[in-house]
Amino acid sequence: LPTTQFRVLTLVLLVLLGLTVVKGWLTYWHEVLIGRAVESVMRAIRQRLFRHTLGLDLQTVGQLGTPQLMARFTNDLQQMAQGLALLGGRLIVEPMKLGFCLVGAFCVNWQLTLISLLVAPVGGVIFGMIGKRIRKASKRQMETVSQIYGTLEETFRVFPMMLAFRNEDWHRGRLVSENRQYYRKAVKIIKADAIASPVTELLATVGVFLALLPGAYLVLRKQTDIYGIDLAPVEMEIADLSLLYAYLGGMLDPIRKLSSVYSKMKKSSVACERIFSVMRTPCALPVAKHPQALPAGPLRLEFESVSFSYASPDGVDEARPPALDLVSLKVEPGETVAIVGGNGSGKSTLVSLIPRFFDPSHGQIRLGGVDLRKLNAKDLRQAIGIVSQGAALFDETILKNIAAGDLAAGPEAIEASAAQASVTLFTERLPMGLETPVGERGNLLSGGQRQRVALARAFLRSPRVLILDEATSAIDAHSEHLIYGALAELRQDRTTLIITHSLSPQLLGLVSRIVMMEQGQVVGVGPHQQLLRTCPPYQRLFAAQESQRVAA
């Protein structure tokens, strides 16, 4: 050491300055490494959760609900990230500080240190009660977040209808009510969090007093026991008592910091449970252990005594009536069949079973003579092209929406499919052509244009089974004419199913047979003229449409 006092002071200050620099450098890298680790874990969990969700069946995803899933991917993952950051930060450093001070206190006087720990069981009981309240309130708060997301999603989805019917106050009232529930749950968590820190400090201070009072008695009386109970191996000096106080006092700061993150860790644990509950949700569709391959050429489609019922919503014990009831039907390879019937007759449910969106609860569906459950789901869906009523378009260009049918297709194939589906008839008039954005859900295109883009996407796949599910129900006559015209040229060597409630002359010229459905059952199969003679439900359907056509 230097020989003069001033130089010693200078050296001490320089050492402190150096240690401060080192501490700052270590703190910086500690925060960076913890942040990188947390973000890396969250990225992996987010991708894994999304991958698992994409592997679920349609009915399971419907039961989970879009708002619930959105809450998992946003709010719950954020809560989980906060917990991981605390785990890698305070929940590692502070227990180390606490452990160091505790070991030091035991080394000074283990008897008095044990006395100070008598408050630990009391603290455990109190924090157990606080933790239960926090978990319960956190779970309800996160459920309320899902409800808020649901209200927002529904409001924005029906925005034009809301404006037309002037329902703004009703939608606003729903959000205000759910926001009030969220506020109440948040306040409960805040109260539980607020009481944790003072309770912790009080118990820790009491623990210090429980050790220091007997210690002071021993020092002042020059004794090693109290009422015959040995509390020190040798007589304690004031320096020993001061050192014990320093160690016990050093435990207060990490205990206080740990108590401040208690509620956050409880919320994170609830978020983890909600996230992993989705990741543990199994797909309701069994996977074939030894999948078979589809035969070459056009495919025969067979329904044998097929029944199906949709699952009841959560909280409803009663089973829903069957959507399909012992349906048997054969569609020959390359045949074009129309499936007609009123709303709720089971038409769309029937064709939803073909790509295995659902599995029948009874019976078999065979494609090319192979049970669908024995096929690889990806191979099965690769062989099927679907055009639904609400053409599902992405907020991308027309070109990219068509390319979604086959990501490996080149520009020439995409342009050819666009021409086949009469998409180029309207893109030629657009400044950007096929590079024109379609907007959110295709709202920058008309209904007929959206359907033609969806048809081009299905054609690009060169499907062996083509399904049009009410594809022309919400478009004008000209667009319907173009779609059926394109279908007339491209249906060769494809098994084609057209689900519709509109029996136009052009449609009747395309199909070889018509399947009439009513209340989940097939009540008639045959050509148009035959059903007019033999099937009363079909007679009524066709007569009603003829009356509408004449009135128009």
Side-chain angles (χ1 to χ4, degrees):
L1 291 176
T3 56
T4 65
Q5 294 179 346
F6 178 76
R7 289 181 179 179
V8 171
L9 177 62
T10 303
L11 178 61
V12 170
L13 294 178
L14 289 175
V15 170
L16 288 176
L17 178 63
L19 290 175
T20 302
V21 172
V22 172
K23 177 189 174 183
W25 183 80
L26 292 175
T27 301
Y28 167 79
W29 280 109
H30 173 257
E31 296 292 335
V32 169
L33 293 175
I34 291 297
R36 289 175 62 179
V38 169
E39 291 303 322
S40 177
V41 170
M42 296 315 299
R43 180 182 64 178
I45 291 178
R46 189 179 295 110
Q47 292 174 350
R48 184 177 175 184
L49 178 62
F50 191 60
R51 183 169 62 248
H52 180 79
T53 305
L54 293 180
L56 295 175
D57 60 287
L58 190 61
Q59 190 158 222
T60 300
V61 172
Q63 287 180 313
L64 291 172
T66 300
Q68 289 282 351
L69 290 172
M70 289 297 295
R72 299 304 201 281
F73 279 97
T74 53
N75 183 70
D76 293 1
L77 281 174
Q78 182 182 5
Q79 295 293 338
M80 186 177 182
Q82 290 180 0
L84 288 175
L86 291 172
L87 182 65
R90 290 188 180 181
L91 293 183
I92 291 179
V93 176
E94 300 305 328
M96 290 176 64
K97 295 179 182 177
L98 181 63
F100 174 81
C101 292
L102 185 62
V103 170
F106 268 104
C107 291
V108 174
N109 189 304
W110 65 268
Q111 295 98 325
L112 295 178
T113 303
L114 280 179
I115 293 175
S116 71
L117 296 179
L118 291 176
V119 298
V122 179
V125 172
I126 294 175
F127 275 91
M129 296 170 60
I130 294 174
K132 288 181 180 179
R133 292 189 63 185
I134 293 175
R135 285 178 62 86
K136 188 175 180 180
S138 297
K139 185 175 182 180
R140 291 181 177 176
Q141 184 190 42
M142 292 177 188
E143 291 171 354
T144 305
V145 170
S146 300
Q147 294 172 2
I148 291 174
Y149 284 174
T151 299
L152 292 173
E153 188 271 337
E154 187 177 71
T155 301
F156 296 143
R157 178 164 46 86
V158 300
F159 205 81
M161 185 276 291
M162 180 195 69
L163 295 178
F165 287 91
R166 301 185 64 183
N167 295 142
E168 296 93 335
D169 291 341
W170 182 72
H171 286 274
R172 189 184 302 114
R174 290 178 62 192
L175 184 63
V176 167
S177 175
E178 289 159 1
N179 216 19
R180 188 181 297 115
Q181 293 182 30
Y182 179 86
Y183 170 78
R184 289 171 180 168
K185 306 302 183 298
V187 168
K188 286 185 178 180
I189 296 173
I190 290 172
K191 289 181 177 179
D193 189 21
I195 200 174
S197 183
V199 166
T200 302
E201 289 200 38
L202 176 61
L203 291 175
T205 304
V206 170
V208 172
F209 287 174
L210 288 177
L212 291 184
L213 285 176
Y217 181 87
L218 297 178
V219 171
L220 295 175
R221 296 296 180 87
K222 303 294 183 178
Q223 296 179 197
T224 60
D225 66 278
I226 298 178
Y227 297 113
I229 301 175
D230 288 331
L231 295 179
V234 295
E235 290 185 7
M236 294 182 63
E237 301 293 336
I238 189 67
D240 299 323
L241 185 62
S242 300
L243 184 58
L244 179 63
Y245 172 75
Y247 279 127
L248 294 178
M251 294 168 59
L252 292 177
D253 183 62
I255 289 175
R256 179 180 56 80
K257 290 181 178 179
L258 289 174
S259 67
S260 67
V261 303
Y262 184 70
S263 65
K264 297 181 180 65
M265 290 304 301
K266 284 294 182 181
K267 289 181 68 173
S268 296
S269 67
V270 173
C272 289
E273 289 177 6
R274 284 166 53 86
I275 291 169
F276 291 126
S277 69
V278 175
M279 297 176 70
R280 288 192 298 266
T281 301
C283 179
L285 305 180
V287 179
K289 294 183 179 179
H290 304 288
Q292 300 182 22
L294 286 170
L299 300 171
R300 174 184 288 106
L301 180 61
E302 302 170 85
F303 296 84
E304 183 180 328
S305 301
V306 170
S307 297
F308 176 77
S309 296
Y310 289 100
S312 300
D314 291 338
V316 178
D317 295 332
E318 296 182 4
R320 298 177 62 177
L324 296 174
D325 188 13
L326 298 176
V327 173
S328 294
L329 176 68
K330 288 185 181 181
V331 181
E332 296 301 323
E335 186 180 15
T336 301
V337 172
I339 303 177
V340 301
N343 291 332
S345 60
K347 308 184 301 294
S348 295
T349 301
L350 184 70
V351 297
S352 295
L353 298 175
I354 300 172
R356 283 198 76 193
F357 293 156
F358 317 101
D359 270 348
S361 52
H362 180 271
Q364 269 190 354
I365 304 175
R366 292 186 291 272
L367 187 62
V370 182
D371 189 331
L372 297 187
R373 286 169 286 206
K374 296 182 180 179
L375 293 168
N376 181 284
K378 290 185 178 181
D379 294 341
L380 169 65
R381 292 164 187 165
Q382 182 64 37
I384 299 173
I386 302 176
V387 182
S388 59
Q389 178 179 357
L393 301 185
F394 311 108
D395 190 5
E396 284 286 355
T397 64
I398 295 174
L399 182 72
K400 290 185 178 180
N401 271 280
I402 296 174
D406 184 1
L407 298 177
E412 297 81 6
I414 296 173
E415 292 176 3
S417 295
Q420 290 169 347
S422 302
V423 172
T424 52
L425 292 182
F426 70 85
T427 56
E428 288 173 351
R429 302 192 300 270
L430 298 174
M432 300 177 66
L434 290 175
E435 294 293 341
T436 301
V438 304
E440 184 181 1
R441 297 176 182 169
N443 60 1
L444 299 182
L445 303 179
S446 68
Q449 290 170 344
R450 288 196 294 268
Q451 291 303 96
R452 280 184 268 171
V453 172
L455 189 65
R457 180 170 58 197
F459 285 165
L460 181 65
R461 173 165 289 196
S462 297
R464 300 167 70 183
V465 177
L466 182 60
I467 299 172
L468 273 66
D469 186 1
E470 301 282 8
T472 62
S473 63
I475 61 176
D476 58 89
H478 176 65
S479 296
E480 181 180 2
H481 174 77
L482 292 174
I483 288 176
Y484 284 148
L487 187 61
E489 297 179 5
L490 297 168
R491 63 185 175 134
Q492 285 79 14
D493 298 328
R494 290 189 175 97
T495 304
T496 306
L497 301 177
I498 304 174
I499 292 84
T500 183
H501 61 270
S502 176
L503 297 167
S504 65
Q506 191 175 13
L507 172 67
L508 294 176
L510 281 175
V511 300
S512 56
R513 288 187 301 156
I514 299 172
V515 178
M516 179 68 199
M517 295 192 66
E518 192 173 54
Q519 297 182 357
Q521 295 181 324
V522 174
V523 295
V525 181
H528 170 64
Q529 294 299 332
Q530 176 184 333
L531 291 182
L532 281 179
R533 294 192 305 269
T534 62
C535 184
Y538 184 79
Q539 294 168 3
R540 292 192 296 269
L541 178 68
F542 187 73
Q545 294 193 9
E546 284 295 299
S547 299
Q548 291 177 356
R549 194 174 291 115
V550 171

